[in-house]
Amino acid sequence: MPQSIRLDPTILVIFGAGGDLAWRKLIPALYNLGLDKLLPERFAIVGVGRRPLPVADFRVRLRQGIEQFSRRPLANEELWRRFADNFCYVSEDLADHASGEALAACLAEIESAWGHRANRVYYLAVPPGVMAPAAAMLQRLGVCRDCIHDRLVIEKPFGRDLDSARELNGFLGGLFAEAQIYRIDHYLGKETVQNILAFRFANSLFEPIWNRRYIDHVQITVAETVGIGDRGDYYDQAGALRDMVQNHLLQILCLVAMEPPISFDADEIRNKKVDVLRAIRPLAAGEIHRAAVRGQYRKGQVLGEAVPGYRQERKVSPESTTETYVALMLHIDNWRWQGVPFYLRTGKRLPAKVSEVNIIFRSPPHQFFPSAAVESWQQNRIVIRIQPEEGIGTRIQVKQPGTRLLLGTADMQFRYREAFKAPAPEAYETLLLDVIRGDATLFMRADQVESAWQVVSPILEAWEAVPPADFPDYPAGSWGPEAAELMPARQGHNWLQPSEPEEE
């Protein structure tokens, strides 16, 4: 059980408290933090929604979310009652420029009862079009003026392209200090993603070989078996490049490629990430068709079940040209990584749900073994598995048992569940606690968001100028379009299919 920590009184205000994010992720995460005694002793959750809702009904819905989605069940009625006593709910119409009085009164009432000015965290769990009105309301009411104690949490997507991201950053920067704004990417809260820094910089075994001299190429895969569910209206306007690559995959790339920081200071870590994004070689218009592949799934079978094509999904245009698959080849033009390709891919309706990073090393410079001994030679590699089986593995060459010299591959594995015998916290547990503590290390700065958009904007512009002629171009249940296989093959590489986790 984690040790309790002493934190200042805190009020968490959730805009969009009736939505799926609060129901499925935020409240279950807060419940688990409460079980671990990691929340402040004085802690309140204020739900903000458009429609009026009795607080008793609000609590019932949140309890249902915990029962369905928490990694740990409700312990007992007494613990639930104590947790639910922290809830209150106010109705506000953000489209009304006179709104906000109910929220301001609620905050004042809580702080009056505590006799103390609380830290306030305003979580905008709302659609992109509602973020600006919510932020403007907070500024108008003057309830988010303290740069030390008041924080604003914003979910992705942060903009739709570089221009809109700059516009949103400019708008928010005119209302709040940059230090108050926490742009959240839940991937950065995952244990194995955070462990990339520890793996690289806490072990002298790996950092000296983490460069172009020893590493041949890097592959980052984030594959999903699911389609788009009920998100068709959002996803058909976004696509895989905006929805996954611009944030999740580029964040992972930054952790893999960044230079050693001089300290664990939040801005120092984020400075190193921005350096990576700025060093990514821009894709010229004539290169995009070779270095950026898009695809869209048609009907097929995933995990033995027949599934429809993307154009048959709910709320999707039957003539949609939105990509559900992206593969990129990027280069980082700096001293450490010059000439090392980074391959990124992500897609819907692929054969497995898996997120992992493969670091593939160069072959030894001289091969003195007999040719018959190395028939199954494979390059050494490190596999950082983010999900579903969190862990890190290395694949090496060894002599197979027997009287003759024959080399084969062997894996050395570290798995969280085996090493620590305790479930890892969910990503939102880590990130919410960091916001409450005021630690911005795992959150994106304005320049980082804009630098990420600068990487993908040329691709977006090229794709929008020339609609695809062959969509849909990969069957559901496959690893994507054929063009994606050709991209690394031109460099003498091939995609590594993620290994299935072993059964317990």
Side-chain angles (χ1 to χ4, degrees):
M1 176 72 68
Q3 294 182 351
S4 61
I5 54 177
R6 186 173 182 84
L7 294 169
D8 292 335
T10 301
I11 303 172
L12 174 63
V13 181
I14 303 176
F15 288 86
D20 270 6
L21 179 62
W23 187 49
R24 297 166 64 96
K25 295 294 185 181
L26 303 185
I27 298 303
L30 291 165
Y31 171 74
N32 280 288
L33 289 174
L35 287 183
D36 290 336
K37 296 182 170 51
L38 293 174
L39 293 176
E41 183 177 345
R42 289 182 172 177
F43 183 72
I45 300 170
V46 179
V48 180
R50 184 170 183 175
R51 66 184 183 93
L53 183 70
V55 69
D57 293 350
F58 180 57
R59 290 171 177 170
V60 167
R61 174 170 169 76
L62 298 187
R63 175 173 180 147
Q64 292 170 345
I66 293 171
E67 291 172 341
Q68 292 187 47
F69 303 111
S70 171
R71 65 183 173 90
R72 290 181 290 191
L74 285 170
N76 56 57
E77 288 300 320
E78 174 60 20
L79 282 175
W80 163 250
R81 185 192 63 77
R82 284 161 49 193
F83 182 62
D85 282 346
N86 296 316
F87 300 162
C88 59
Y89 181 89
V90 296
S91 174
E92 294 284 10
D93 182 1
L94 298 180
D96 182 357
H97 294 295
S99 65
E101 292 184 3
L103 174 60
C106 180
L107 297 175
E109 182 179 351
I110 293 170
E111 292 179 339
S112 176
W114 289 349
H116 196 286
R117 168 64 159 91
N119 291 345
R120 298 171 179 176
V121 176
Y122 300 93
Y123 200 119
L124 305 189
V126 294
V130 185
M131 288 181 183
M137 186 189 80
L138 295 174
Q139 196 272 345
R140 184 178 70 251
L141 294 173
V143 296
C144 196
R145 290 176 176 167
D146 190 327
C147 294
I148 302 298
H149 300 98
D150 296 334
R151 294 146 204 167
L152 189 71
V153 183
I154 299 178
E155 278 279 344
K156 77 172 187 77
F158 196 89
R160 176 176 170 77
D161 52 25
L162 179 58
D163 288 342
S164 60
R166 283 174 172 164
E167 182 180 354
L168 184 54
N169 275 332
F171 174 78
L172 293 174
L175 303 180
F176 310 107
E178 175 63 28
Q180 291 180 271
I181 304 171
Y182 289 67
R183 299 167 186 83
I184 194 168
D185 182 345
H186 75 274
Y187 251 66
L188 294 183
K190 292 180 179 292
E191 281 290 322
T192 316
V193 173
Q194 296 178 72
N195 207 40
I196 294 173
L197 289 182
F199 181 74
R200 286 189 58 193
F201 301 126
N203 298 291
S204 58
L205 181 64
F206 300 112
E207 181 56 24
I209 60 172
W210 209 265
N211 55 57
R212 61 185 172 85
R213 183 176 179 184
Y214 297 99
I215 293 176
D216 183 62
H217 67 283
V218 177
Q219 297 185 17
I220 301 173
T221 296
V222 177
E224 299 179 282
T225 57
V226 298
I228 57 167
D230 291 325
R231 299 170 68 227
D233 48 353
Y234 160 73
Y235 196 91
D236 208 36
Q237 300 298 315
L241 188 62
R242 289 185 175 96
D243 189 52
M244 294 295 291
V245 176
Q246 185 272 336
N247 40 74
H248 298 335
L249 274 76
L250 288 182
Q251 289 297 318
I252 296 171
L253 182 148
C254 287
L255 292 170
V256 171
M258 64 188 277
E259 292 297 319
I262 61 173
S263 72
F264 206 71
D265 174 75
D267 274 329
E268 171 65 9
I269 298 289
R270 295 190 290 182
N271 288 343
K272 298 302 184 185
K273 292 180 181 179
V274 172
D275 287 344
V276 173
L277 292 171
R278 290 176 174 169
I280 293 176
R281 184 186 306 165
L283 291 176
E287 300 173 325
I288 288 175
H289 71 287
R290 296 170 65 88
V293 174
R294 53 179 162 171
Q296 185 189 94
Y297 65 83
R298 58 179 180 265
K299 67 180 181 179
Q301 284 202 336
V302 179
L303 303 178
E305 179 183 350
V307 298
Y310 176 73
R311 294 180 179 182
Q312 288 76 53
E313 300 277 18
R314 292 182 57 199
K315 304 177 184 177
V316 171
S317 167
E319 299 178 349
S320 173
T321 58
T322 298
E323 79 282 355
T324 62
Y325 176 98
V326 173
L328 302 180
M329 179 177 66
L330 301 176
H331 286 85
I332 300 172
D333 288 337
N334 63 18
W335 189 273
R336 181 183 292 264
W337 296 112
Q338 192 68 40
V340 177
F342 283 73
Y343 300 106
L344 284 63
R345 64 173 171 174
T346 184
K348 300 282 189 183
R349 294 297 192 198
L350 300 183
K353 178 179 180 179
V354 61
S355 299
E356 69 178 33
V357 180
N358 279 274
I359 313 294
I360 297 90
F361 289 85
R362 297 186 184 278
S363 296
H366 174 63
Q367 185 57 268
F368 63 85
F369 295 101
S371 57
V374 293
E375 291 178 351
S376 60
W377 181 274
Q378 292 185 26
Q379 292 168 282
N380 297 152
R381 71 181 192 243
I382 294 173
V383 182
I384 302 170
R385 181 174 281 253
I386 299 166
Q387 65 178 12
E389 180 69 26
E390 293 185 320
I392 299 172
T394 58
R395 177 161 293 182
I396 58 174
Q397 294 293 132
V398 297
K399 178 189 177 297
Q400 298 186 31
T403 57
R404 58 189 290 255
L405 179 62
L406 184 63
L407 300 184
T409 60
D411 293 333
M412 295 188 293
Q413 298 285 342
F414 153 71
R415 295 185 177 90
Y416 272 89
R417 62 179 172 85
E418 295 174 357
F420 298 110
K421 310 297 182 185
E426 294 288 342
Y428 275 99
E429 294 174 39
T430 299
L431 295 172
L432 283 168
L433 185 57
D434 280 355
V435 177
I436 292 169
R437 290 172 171 169
D439 183 350
T441 304
L442 298 179
F443 298 84
M444 290 179 287
R445 242 174 19 200
D447 56 345
Q448 189 178 354
V449 171
E450 293 179 16
S451 296
W453 277 117
Q454 285 178 318
V455 173
V456 303
S457 286
I459 305 170
L460 286 170
E461 292 168 4
W463 284 355
E464 289 170 0
V466 183
D470 55 352
F471 273 13
D473 63 350
Y474 71 95
S478 72
W479 279 107
E482 291 184 11
E485 299 296 330
L486 294 175
M487 184 177 67
R490 296 189 190 101
Q491 313 302 316
H493 303 137
N494 60 278
W495 289 111
L496 299 172
Q497 301 310 339
S499 55
E500 294 296 325
E502 296 179 5
E503 296 294 331
E504 296 189 42

